[in-house]
Amino acid sequence: MQDAPQSQAHGATASPVELNTPQAEAVAHVGGPLLVFAGAGSGKTRVITYRIANLVARERVPPWRILAVTFTNKAAGEMRARLERPDLLGPVARDLWVGTFHATCAKFLRLYPEAIDRTKSFVIYDTTDQKAVVTRVLRDMNLDDRRYSPKSVLARIHKEKQEGRGPADMHLDSYLDDAIQKAYTRYEAALKAANALDFEDLILSVVRVLEATNDGSFPAEVLRARDALEKKFDYILVDEFQDTNQIQYRLLKRLAARTKNLCVVGDDDQSIYRWRGADVRNIRYFRRDWPDAKVVKLEQNYRSTKNIVSSALAVIAPSPTREPKELWTDKDHGSQIRVIACADERDEGACVVRAIRDARDAGISPKEVAVFYRVHAQSRVLEEALRSVDIPYQIVGGTKFYDRAEVKDALSYLRVLVNPKSDVDLLRIINTPPRGIGHTTVERLATYATTQQLSLFEALGRLDDFAEDLGSAARKRLGQFRELMNLLMSEAKDRPAAEVLRILLAKSGYKKALEDEDTAESEGRLENLAELEGSMSDYETEAEARGEAPTLEGFLERVSLVSDTDKLGDVEKVTLMTIHGAKGLEFELVLLTGMEEDMFPYRNQEPRSPEEMEEERRLAYVAITRARQHLIVTHAKQRQIFGTTRLGVPSRFVGDLPADAIEHLETAAARAAGASGRWIDRDSMAAATSWRSRPASTTPSPSWRRPGGGGSNEQVTPSEWGAGPAAWRQGAAPPGRRAPEPGERFVDYDEAQDAQDGVELRRGSKVVHERFGRGEVMKLVTAGEPAVVAFFPGWGEKKVLARFLKLG
DNA sequence: AGCTGGCGGGTTTTT
DNA sequence: CCCGCCAGCT
């Protein structure tokens, strides 16, 4: 054991930037374990990057002996970019190991593939591939697929792997598990035969290497890999530690065993991935595992207004198990949190549109606006609302580029070229495009391969041995396919990846099949393939810039480990995403939609367990803390989802918001619905007591009937959101709109109902004003009594009380 | 071989 | 309601 480099750092920042006291402490702490509780918006990334810079610049730690682990590739890229800036480390930062758990492990395993019974060309199976393997395994075992669905079996295998157990030592909880254990064993064998690893394997295999003992039961190459890895890193930093699972933490403990220089940064309040194996206890019990750990809490929020911070705290406060900490900010209170009742999901969509337009008119760039929802199913209606008024948006999540069928096909071709043993990939392409190799033929090939213990590709090479089982046409076609693949393999040698793709698309007939199809859809597919080719070229450029040789293997690994959502972002569009997708991001304006019981907190069937409910609460905390200046929360009185209509009671999280930070509003349609009394189920209402007890005065109830009479005008006051230039679709700016003012009712002009009260004014109504002359109503508002915002040529947009207007 | 309609199932998602 | 999968038909 050798001690890691140590010395005292005085006021240790690597460059003259202000850090607050706890931030500076975290940066300066050098020897031994460090736990940083980093509240939302508390400058966590700054602490990590400065800490690394400090280690390299002051403590003289060689950069290649520092490992920084992040949760996503995007986070890794951003961290590296920051460190490479001249005010931090500059080009030296390139030698740092910065990456996700998976990418880091894959990088290491490529160096020592023999230690895990693979070759260096091993492929990484994604969820679809894994499912295909499990499906085959279960079919081979003739298992009842109602009891043993591929999905559930795979989920179980993942769970075992995440907790570090192989087939031999998996937990057997019920009689059903015996079959699962057999399936797990076969699954592992199939992956090994295919020279493939799944995501969990990347981590688990490295842990196995690190845990190898000298008792003679491990081959020399495993021990060699272990020794190399044990010595590899002097300092380890982990971001988003609250989202690590057991096996990841075990990996960290092993990697840091020699030096104890393990720094973990996270926020237990933002732990939202329990359902996929994250264990919040890793961060909560870190001090127990590392009694010497220095603990720092970053509690000053630099991101949000007081109203937002106090709302977030109010939502998370009821959580009984959290690490005590107080987020605070010295910013202003800012605007009130708006809680808007909508009639239904369409009304909510209209309301979102309204809010986005108001934001735009207040000078907020669309990329600073995000719309959150709990489940993707909510996005469709919101999309429709935005599309119908030409508001540009991007959706994060949903179907990904690399999941498109044509992209997967192309990648399967490429993977077979690199790793012919990959049966899943071969099965995908053997008859794609259609080349007359049907199910029966494939089954016969597979049967032969299984009995001879060969991969499908190897079996193809011995066609003659089982030709008697095949028709002559089938035989011929398999032969042609084999020739095609052999040709492609020889063509692929020493060629840039993008060129290999071009060749294979041409020679396989894939491109021609799409061209012949000649539909809008096939055209889109061709475009996607062109994009794939583009991303391969990009990869080559990047690899060369890093001084690495670009290889097809390298590209395929990147595809496996990098999601395309990683590169979403810097466009002038509103972002729509689930709250999970929003972790780590921040926006000027956040619209949090669907805030009803059973939507958020989400509930499918059974009541949620307390643990699940706590995670929902943390999710709400994450959502709120994404907002810098403005937060709008919407809920609908009824909602169509999954084909049924649900009645909506405002979420308990809405009830938790502090009264002095929020204002309650409702759309006209919601008010109409409320007045009719049809939609609110009294018992459900009683459940949301804090909601019901809210004073009636917070939701005044104006009438839209236009009274007669005359008097003075009411001018439009400057928007509370500030009046910056509208940076939206240039040239298409509609007549300006402003944000509602405090206390103003938020009634959507699109939805303003006139039937109820015999309203005569509506959006688009032509009106005459004594002073301003003829104008057009832009929207209905209230100023203690019915009013409108109307556009008067020569005067501009004015807010005037309805009673001063005549229809014209 | 390939299409079509019926059926079941539908948090959240990165890697 | 919307999607993906499978069986059964053409």
Side-chain angles (χ1 to χ4, degrees):
Chain A
M1 281 251 213
Q2 74 184 57
D3 279 330
Q6 286 195 18
S7 74
Q8 297 77 37
H10 299 286
T13 61
S15 69
V17 165
E18 284 176 41
L19 295 171
N20 66 31
T21 310
Q23 284 176 338
E25 274 181 58
V27 166
H29 175 80
V30 168
L34 170 65
L35 166 61
V36 181
F37 281 104
S42 65
K44 168 187 77 165
T45 312
R46 167 173 285 192
V47 164
I48 295 177
T49 51
Y50 280 80
R51 198 177 133 75
I52 292 172
N54 184 56
L55 289 171
V56 174
R58 299 219 170 183
E59 306 297 326
R60 301 282 155 207
V61 181
W64 59 88
R65 301 190 69 81
I66 299 176
L67 168 66
V69 185
T70 60
F71 200 61
T72 64
N73 289 291
K74 187 179 175 194
E78 282 166 5
M79 188 179 293
R80 188 179 283 281
R82 274 172 90 148
L83 284 159
E84 280 182 15
R85 284 194 326 214
D87 57 324
L88 281 177
L89 285 176
V92 188
R94 278 193 193 181
D95 293 331
L96 294 163
W97 281 58
V98 181
T100 62
F101 277 102
H102 295 87
T104 303
C105 288
K107 187 171 168 186
F108 182 77
L109 292 173
R110 295 271 179 218
L111 299 173
Y112 300 93
E114 65 283 355
I116 55 160
D117 273 335
R118 301 292 192 275
T119 76
K120 72 172 189 332
S121 312
F122 68 80
V123 293
I124 299 164
Y125 273 3
D126 68 13
T127 313
T128 316
D129 305 326
Q130 295 161 24
K131 211 175 137 207
V133 173
V134 170
T135 305
R136 278 192 85 77
V137 163
L138 294 177
R139 215 169 269 171
D140 288 349
M141 292 172 64
N142 289 316
L143 286 175
D144 171 10
D145 60 2
R146 298 226 326 276
R147 270 189 202 177
Y148 301 95
S149 71
K151 207 184 146 194
S152 66
V153 172
L154 195 54
R156 179 59 186 280
I157 292 174
H158 284 156
K159 184 164 187 285
E160 296 297 322
K161 288 190 176 186
Q162 280 163 7
E163 292 173 9
R165 295 183 296 273
D169 40 20
M170 81 173 258
H171 284 175
L172 299 174
D173 300 330
S174 89
Y175 71 99
L176 292 169
D177 289 354
D178 293 340
I180 292 177
Q181 186 174 34
K182 283 203 186 73
Y184 186 5
T185 308
R186 288 192 183 209
Y187 172 82
E188 292 291 274
L191 288 194
K192 189 185 162 197
N195 195 26
L197 295 174
D198 66 19
F199 292 125
E200 257 50 83
D201 285 336
L202 292 169
I203 301 182
L204 185 52
S205 339
V206 174
V207 169
R208 290 211 178 109
V209 166
L210 278 165
E211 293 182 351
T213 48
N214 289 329
D215 59 8
S217 58
F218 290 91
E221 53 266 30
V222 176
L223 301 181
R224 200 158 51 85
R226 179 200 64 186
D227 294 345
L229 193 48
E230 271 177 355
K231 283 192 291 228
K232 185 108 197 67
F233 301 113
D234 290 333
Y235 284 88
I236 298 170
L237 298 92
V238 188
D239 193 11
E240 307 280 12
F241 184 64
Q242 77 280 357
D243 286 322
T244 53
N245 62 31
Q246 277 190 34
I247 194 71
Q248 289 165 341
Y249 184 30
R250 202 159 125 194
L251 173 71
L252 293 172
K253 284 195 260 195
R254 290 284 170 178
L255 284 175
R258 179 175 55 88
T259 66
K260 318 275 186 256
N261 292 330
L262 175 61
C263 162
V264 300
V265 182
D267 180 1
D268 55 329
D269 291 337
Q270 293 183 63
S271 168
I272 56 176
Y273 285 106
R274 195 186 92 95
W275 50 275
R276 68 179 205 212
D279 193 340
V280 67
R281 289 174 302 184
N282 288 350
I283 191 166
R284 292 204 173 131
Y285 298 159
F286 188 83
R287 276 175 284 207
R288 198 153 78 193
D289 292 344
W290 307 82
D292 301 339
K294 178 175 178 65
V295 179
V296 173
K297 291 184 185 180
L298 307 180
E299 295 173 304
Q300 181 174 2
N301 173 297
Y302 294 96
R303 178 185 296 157
S304 312
T305 65
K306 277 199 177 67
N307 282 340
I308 290 167
V309 169
S310 67
S311 294
L313 283 174
V315 164
I316 199 67
S319 175
T321 53
R322 61 190 291 258
E323 170 74 21
K325 53 192 124 44
E326 276 303 317
L327 206 60
W328 62 279
T329 178
D330 61 8
K331 289 192 188 293
D332 292 341
H333 281 91
S335 61
Q336 298 296 103
I337 311 304
R338 296 207 168 106
V339 176
I340 307 177
C342 305
D344 54 32
E345 75 281 357
R346 303 183 69 86
D347 188 34
E348 183 178 57
C351 189
V352 164
V353 164
R354 244 285 296 257
I356 292 172
R357 285 178 160 168
D358 287 341
R360 167 192 61 194
D361 296 343
I364 295 177
S365 159
K367 74 178 172 199
E368 285 296 344
V369 178
V371 183
F372 296 165
Y373 34 81
R374 178 65 180 81
V375 297
H376 275 302
Q378 290 166 260
S379 72
R380 218 188 77 246
V381 180
L382 296 168
E383 266 190 272
E384 280 165 10
L386 295 176
R387 195 160 34 201
S388 71
V389 295
D390 287 332
I391 291 177
Y393 64 89
Q394 61 177 345
I395 291 202
V396 177
T399 307
K400 294 168 197 147
F401 180 70
Y402 292 117
D403 282 345
R404 313 261 167 95
E406 62 280 8
V407 176
K408 292 217 73 169
D409 291 340
L411 291 173
S412 282
Y413 271 100
L414 293 169
R415 297 209 303 192
V416 171
L417 298 184
V418 166
N419 179 30
K421 285 184 179 173
S422 183
D423 285 357
V424 167
D425 290 304
L426 196 100
L427 285 171
R428 189 173 177 101
I429 61 173
I430 195 165
N431 197 34
T432 316
R435 48 173 72 92
I437 302 175
H439 250 278
T440 326
T441 309
V442 171
E443 278 312 310
R444 283 178 187 152
L445 173 70
T447 307
Y448 177 75
T450 310
T451 54
Q452 300 297 309
Q453 305 252 21
L454 298 172
S455 69
L456 293 173
F457 188 78
E458 286 164 330
L460 268 183
R462 300 199 202 167
L463 252 187
D464 295 337
D465 292 356
F466 63 108
E468 66 271 17
D469 297 342
L470 301 165
S472 66
R475 213 217 79 92
K476 189 176 156 205
R477 284 164 180 160
L478 283 179
Q480 285 169 342
F481 177 67
R482 181 181 63 188
E483 290 319 306
L484 170 67
M485 295 315 290
N486 284 336
L487 173 70
L488 292 176
M489 280 177 192
S490 62
E491 295 275 354
K493 287 220 165 49
D494 306 319
R495 276 212 165 84
E499 207 180 318
V500 176
L501 175 66
R502 221 174 305 133
I503 292 171
L504 83 82
L505 289 177
K507 304 229 164 179
S508 65
Y510 198 101
K511 193 169 183 197
K512 182 160 189 308
L514 283 177
E515 283 165 354
D516 291 348
E517 203 180 307
D518 195 29
T519 61
E521 199 192 339
S522 67
E523 206 164 296
R525 291 177 187 276
L526 285 166
E527 277 167 26
N528 286 334
L529 290 172
E531 193 179 332
L532 179 65
E533 198 183 310
S535 74
M536 295 177 97
S537 304
D538 290 349
Y539 158 75
E540 279 155 23
T541 316
E542 285 166 31
E544 274 157 15
R546 277 197 309 272
E548 292 166 18
T551 60
L552 191 46
E553 285 90 337
F555 175 74
L556 290 173
E557 174 159 319
R558 191 173 89 145
V559 169
S560 306
L561 297 179
V562 177
S563 75
D564 39 271
T565 53
D566 283 344
K567 50 185 196 268
L568 271 173
D570 211 23
V571 286
E572 287 294 309
K573 292 177 177 175
V574 170
T575 304
L576 271 63
M577 61 182 144
T578 63
I579 302 160
H580 285 90
K583 196 175 76 159
L585 305 177
E586 56 180 76
F587 300 88
E588 284 294 291
L589 164 64
V590 164
L591 287 138
L592 179 51
T593 68
M595 286 297 273
E596 301 117 45
E597 281 294 298
D598 293 353
M599 281 305 294
F600 191 14
Y602 188 86
R603 186 172 71 132
N604 207 8
Q605 289 174 353
E606 290 81 44
R608 304 192 72 97
S609 68
E611 292 78 24
E612 286 173 321
M613 190 54 86
E614 271 207 56
E615 182 141 317
E616 294 292 311
R617 196 169 275 291
R618 295 194 293 263
L619 202 49
Y621 176 81
V622 168
I624 293 169
T625 53
R626 299 309 95 193
R628 283 198 288 262
Q629 292 290 328
H630 308 288
L631 175 64
I632 298 178
V633 173
T634 61
H635 59 90
K637 296 190 171 183
Q638 69 171 12
R639 177 181 301 275
Q640 286 214 11
I641 190 124
F642 299 133
T644 52
T645 301
R646 295 187 187 180
L647 294 179
V649 177
S651 166
R652 67 192 67 195
F653 304 141
V654 170
D656 291 332
L657 296 174
D660 57 357
I662 65 178
E663 58 181 334
H664 282 282
L665 304 154
E666 65 184 344
T667 67
R671 187 167 58 90
S676 77
R678 272 180 301 136
W679 288 340
I680 298 296
D681 152 347
R682 302 273 157 203
D683 292 337
S684 318
M685 275 307 268
T689 48
S690 57
W691 169 258
R692 196 169 61 163
S693 64
R694 209 153 294 287
S697 63
T698 58
T699 52
S701 176
S703 148
W704 287 108
R705 193 171 293 111
R706 182 173 67 98
S712 64
N713 304 301
E714 190 177 336
Q715 299 281 344
V716 175
T717 55
S719 160
E720 61 175 302
W721 285 12
W728 203 263
R729 286 169 298 138
Q730 287 194 338
R737 258 190 212 97
R738 50 166 205 87
E741 287 163 41
E744 174 178 314
R745 273 187 52 87
F746 194 101
V747 175
D748 197 303
Y749 49 88
D750 286 323
E751 300 287 339
Q753 306 263 315
D754 54 5
Q756 306 269 324
D757 303 310
V759 173
E760 297 165 77
L761 280 179
R762 63 176 77 196
R763 179 179 174 227
S765 296
K766 301 281 186 270
V767 291
V768 180
H769 184 266
E770 206 172 45
R771 182 144 63 102
F772 302 131
R774 300 184 83 81
E776 183 183 341
V777 172
M778 302 312 302
K779 70 175 174 186
L780 306 179
V781 294
T782 181
E785 61 174 284
V788 303
V789 175
F791 180 78
F792 297 95
W795 295 91
E797 199 171 292
K798 298 287 176 192
K799 180 165 133 185
V800 288
L801 297 178
R803 61 193 160 91
F804 303 131
L805 292 172
K806 274 189 258 179
L807 281 176

